[in-house]
Every structure is written in C-alpha cells, then in structure tokens.
Amino acid sequence: MSRSVVILGSQWGDEGKGKIVDLLAHEADAVVRFQGGHNAGHTLVVGGEKTVLHVIPSGVLTKRARNLIGNGVVVAPRALIDEVRGLEEKGIEVRSRLGISPACPAILGCHEALDRVRERSRGKKAIGTTGRGIGPAYEDKASRLGLRLADLADADRLEQKLGGVIDYYNFLLTRYYEADPVDGARIADEAAEMGAELRPMFADVTGELHEMRRAGKALLFEGAQGSLLDIDHGTYPFVTSSNTTVGGVMTGTGVGPGDIDYVLGITKAYTTRVGSGPFPTELHDADGRMMAERGVEFGATTGRPRRCGWLDAVALKRMVRINGVTGLCITKLDVLDAFERVRICVEYDGVEGFPVGAEEWERATPIYEDMPGWDGSTQGLTDQNKLPAEARAYLERLEELIEAPVHMLSTGPERDAHVILQHPFSG
Ligand code: IMP
C-alpha cells in the first residue's frame, strides 16, 4: 500500500499534472510542493470552473488536505499572497491549511528585473524564461547571497541583508546590462509587508512530513515543470533552475528516499514545449498545428503558444529511469483521435548515446515508428474496455518501449475524465 506518492512531469512541463494531482489530492492528508516557483501553472477544472494555481499546492481545492510548500520552492511573496487572496475571494479557506517553510528563498523585484533584462540581452539565444525571477533567486541561494522568507518576517534581519542585495543587483542592472535600477525602498517595504502576512503560515514542513509519515498519513508530492527542464538532466541550458526530477523531493522537503512509495510519471500522448530549446520531434506542419488546436496548447502562466510534436520514447524512457517511475499516466490521448497515423520516436540519429546538452540535442534526429490511428473518440472515456483497439496497441507499444506500465489515462479536462488501471495510493 503506497502512502507516499510523487507526481512528476516526464517531458517539458504542461503534461496535465494539475488535474491528476487534484484527483489524488482528495485521498491525501498533505499535498507538497518541493521545487520551482510561480513559473508553474496548474490548471484545474472543477465543476466547469477553471482555477490556475501557481505556487499553492493543488490540495487547496480539497476539504481535508494540508498544503505544504517545502524549502526547495522559491517564493515570490507578493505572488503567493495574491494567490491566497484570489482563492479566498472564491470562498476557499487557505491560510489555516497552508504551511510554508521559512527556509524558502525569496524572489524579489530585483530577481525579476534581472531575469527579464538578461533574457532581452540574450537576443536570439534567449531561454524563453517565464520572467518570474526563478533563475536569479536560485542563483542567490547557491551563492548564499539571497534572503529566505524567514529574513523577510524579521525587520532587523531584513534591513541588514537587503541593502547589500539591492546594491549588487543595481550594479549589475545599470553597469553591466545598462538597464534601469530597481527601487530598493519599494522592494524593502513590500518585503516587510508580505513577510508579516506570510509569517503566520510558516511551518516546519520537514518536521510535519516526518510526523505524518510516522502516523501513516497519505502524502502527495506535486512536481512542477517537467523532467526535461531539470537543471542537471534536462536540455541544458534551456532548462529551469531547479531539480524537477525525483531528487528534488528529498532536497526540497527533507524526507528520505525510503519515504517515497510510488512515483507517477505524467506524459502527454504527444509532446509539447514552451520557450526555446531543442525538441527533436517538433512538427512545423499541419499535424503540429492540429495537435496545438485540438490540445488547446497555450501556456497557463504566460499564455504563450506551445510547440507540438510526436511522442519521444527515447527521452521519455531516460526520464522514467531517472525518476524511478512506478507507473505512467498518459494524458490527452484524445488529441490523437483525429490522426490517421500516429508516430513514436524510437531512436535518435546523429548523436551517440543520450544527448548531454543543447548542442547534442540539436543534432538528435528522430527515427519514427508508425502506428495506425483509431476510429472513434477517446474523449471523456472512463471505461478502459471502450478504448479503441488501435489506441490500446499504441499504449502497449509505449509500455514496451519505455519499460514502464501505464497505470492511468486522463481523457479530458474534467476531474472525472480518466481511467485508472492501478491506483497510485493502493499500488
Ligand atoms: P524559468 O523557469 O522561468 O527560468 O524558465 C526556464 C524554462 O522553463 C523556459 O523554457 C520556460 O518556458 C520553462 N518553464 C518554466 N516553467 C514551466 C512550466 O510550468 N511549464 C512549462 N515550461 C516551463
């Protein structure tokens, strides 16, 4: 019996994790974010109403789950408070159910400013970041310059530490990038105000998780972004700045590997990517446009159109192994309903071994295996016996190629549009 489940995106993000987390959150005693920040956008459709969560765990939409933000998450205090207030306006009780680690690195206005200015200066080589200051905040954590949320909630500490950070950033912004400086006084005032508002929600997230684990409670760790955006294992440098793979659960919350019972890898039945960077199976033709249209492929955080392509079993298999995936959840299978033929990338030509970074990734040319498409719709399907034979064959071939079993299918945006072959919490 799995009491502790990790949900991870296995591609470049936007695999539809939010919906699956929401589904499983109803059976969890705690839902935990462990990396990333408000660059994530988890779209949940409940009762026809759409809610996009950026940094608050998806368990907030359940009645029972405790929602925890672990130390590995970079937190923009203003964005977090705005999200809390937005949910409160919808009548959802948040503050008493949210626990935030005071060790989370704070994202401040200077981080956002640098993220944007730096992207602009990269020109054609821009990474296509979300502009939320994620990279600079993680940089400051590693360089030990940055402030943590605990520093914001203490007026003396804030004053002591912030001045040096603002001076450093304004030097970089004005002298190196020839851009405008940030307003240090404004950042300081806002940091103090937000720190005070966040303080009552501070919690020993690590300690709470240890206690819950000992008490046999059901824990759900909610990954943001996807494994191919991992700072170490992804398509570097076109990646985000955190470990989106399973190791992030441990460093980002303080639980041990033995505290993880089940890893659910989420993947679309095809592939999408936002921002720049290598994407071997990307399509620039009518098939790609059809995927984008049928899949409504626009980013939840930035509204940017997503690039689309066929499923890449080479990359997926690697990510499944890195994460120790127990079972896969395939989302948006219905997007492929319209295709007469579906393709899976089974090998790369042009590179030896698995690509190391962007330069090797750019040389990877997909070799495809074609399979017949299926008649009929898989949209909203809840009975696995109604799956068209060709769709079943496609999934079975995937299992073979990736060497992991399919345990779930998501067949539409609504909470109940899914097929569960093996339930993560009872596996
Ligand atoms: P950053 O995380 O804002 O630094 O952006 C780095 C890269 O990660 C860019 O290519 C972004 O488009 C991508 N990225 C960040 N968050 C998400 C997400 O939630 N879904 C998909 N891509 C993301």
Side-chain angles (χ1 to χ4, degrees):
M1 178 87 170
S2 312
R3 300 304 291 157
S4 159
V5 172
V6 177
I7 296 192
L8 298 171
S10 310
Q11 299 168 309
W12 280 288
D14 309 312
E15 296 90 351
K17 295 178 291 294
K19 187 198 126 164
I20 305 301
V21 175
D22 177 54
L23 189 73
L24 298 183
H26 288 268
E27 293 168 52
D29 296 299
V31 182
V32 194
R33 277 282 304 267
F34 54 90
Q35 48 70 230
H38 63 314
N39 48 349
H42 284 177
T43 309
L44 307 163
V45 181
V46 185
E49 201 191 333
K50 200 163 137 176
T51 300
V52 183
L53 296 173
H54 296 287
V55 70
I56 295 179
S58 303
V60 76
L61 298 184
T62 70
K63 290 261 179 305
R64 148 177 110 110
R66 174 99 169 121
N67 294 277
L68 298 170
I69 298 180
N71 58 277
V73 177
V74 281
V75 172
R78 161 65 70 192
L80 175 52
I81 293 290
D82 283 350
E83 206 171 314
V84 170
R85 291 179 187 163
L87 289 166
E88 284 172 341
E89 274 164 27
K90 291 187 176 184
I92 297 165
E93 168 55 31
V94 185
R95 292 174 204 247
S96 64
R97 303 169 55 218
L98 182 62
I100 307 164
S101 167
C104 292
I107 307 178
L108 303 171
C110 50
H111 298 123
E112 252 177 55
L114 182 64
D115 192 1
R116 292 184 182 169
V117 164
R118 198 191 260 159
E119 277 287 277
R120 222 178 298 142
S121 79
R122 281 187 178 125
K124 282 199 174 118
K125 291 188 181 141
I127 289 168
T129 72
T130 58
R132 301 287 201 268
I134 307 293
Y138 276 119
E139 285 168 48
D140 281 4
K141 166 180 159 173
S143 71
R144 293 150 292 178
L145 175 77
L147 276 68
R148 292 168 150 196
L149 293 183
D151 299 317
L152 269 50
D154 178 321
D156 290 340
R157 259 157 77 174
L158 179 63
E159 200 188 318
Q160 260 176 37
K161 294 190 179 181
L162 189 62
V165 174
I166 298 293
D167 288 349
Y168 171 74
Y169 272 88
N170 277 342
F171 181 84
L172 263 183
L173 287 166
T174 57
R175 306 283 285 274
Y176 187 80
Y177 289 104
E178 295 175 345
D180 292 334
V182 290
D183 180 344
R186 229 182 95 200
I187 291 177
D189 287 348
E190 184 169 278
E193 191 193 328
M194 295 295 118
E197 197 164 342
L198 288 175
R199 195 187 174 120
M201 290 178 269
F202 283 175
D204 174 10
V205 170
T206 305
E208 268 195 51
L209 287 170
H210 293 170
E211 289 313 312
M212 289 178 104
R213 179 75 177 160
R214 280 170 80 102
K217 302 280 188 193
L219 309 177
L220 187 62
F221 295 90
E222 173 180 13
Q225 292 89 42
S227 298
L228 288 162
L229 287 171
D230 185 278
I231 181 85
D232 290 292
H233 297 287
T235 48
Y236 188 88
F238 296 94
V239 290
T240 191
S241 298
S242 64
N243 281 115
T244 56
T245 49
V246 74
V249 175
M250 282 151 274
T251 53
T253 67
V255 300
D259 294 323
I260 296 171
D261 299 323
Y262 183 106
V263 181
L264 183 67
I266 317 268
T267 174
K268 277 180 188 163
Y270 50 103
T271 311
T272 63
R273 166 161 212 173
V274 285
S276 339
F279 179 176
T281 62
E282 181 172 15
L283 292 169
H284 299 281
D285 59 6
D287 281 348
R289 283 192 294 279
M290 186 144 85
M291 280 175 197
E293 265 166 44
R294 290 182 57 86
V296 195
E297 295 296 354
F298 296 94
T301 297
T302 58
R304 289 181 290 179
R306 297 178 186 141
R307 300 152 66 193
C308 296
W310 296 111
L311 193 80
D312 183 340
V314 179
L316 193 54
K317 181 176 175 179
R318 176 78 161 206
M319 297 305 126
V320 159
R321 287 190 173 176
I322 285 173
N323 291 317
V325 163
T326 319
L328 289 166
C329 172
I330 312 283
T331 63
K332 294 187 137 181
L333 184 64
D334 57 292
V335 170
L336 299 187
D337 287 355
F339 291 85
E340 274 178 24
R341 163 210 68 171
V342 289
R343 316 192 83 181
I344 308 175
C345 166
V346 293
E347 218 182 307
Y348 292 150
D349 203 4
V351 278
E352 233 175 83
F354 195 78
V356 177
E359 291 78 6
E360 291 82 9
W361 276 99
E362 289 295 358
R363 289 204 306 271
T365 312
I367 299 176
Y368 289 110
E369 192 173 294
D370 288 355
M371 296 192 71
W374 43 90
D375 278 333
S377 166
T378 61
Q379 199 182 359
L381 198 85
T382 52
D383 177 359
Q384 57 159 314
N385 297 316
K386 298 221 169 106
L387 210 54
E390 295 83 358
R392 188 184 301 273
Y394 177 71
L395 296 176
E396 282 170 3
R397 183 66 185 130
L398 275 187
E399 287 183 320
E400 242 170 52
L401 287 166
I402 290 154
E403 296 175 7
V406 174
H407 282 173
M408 291 177 83
L409 294 177
S410 167
T411 55
E414 285 290 338
R415 195 181 259 170
D416 50 7
H418 61 263
V419 177
I420 300 183
L421 303 162
Q422 186 179 315
H423 198 293
F425 273 122
S426 56

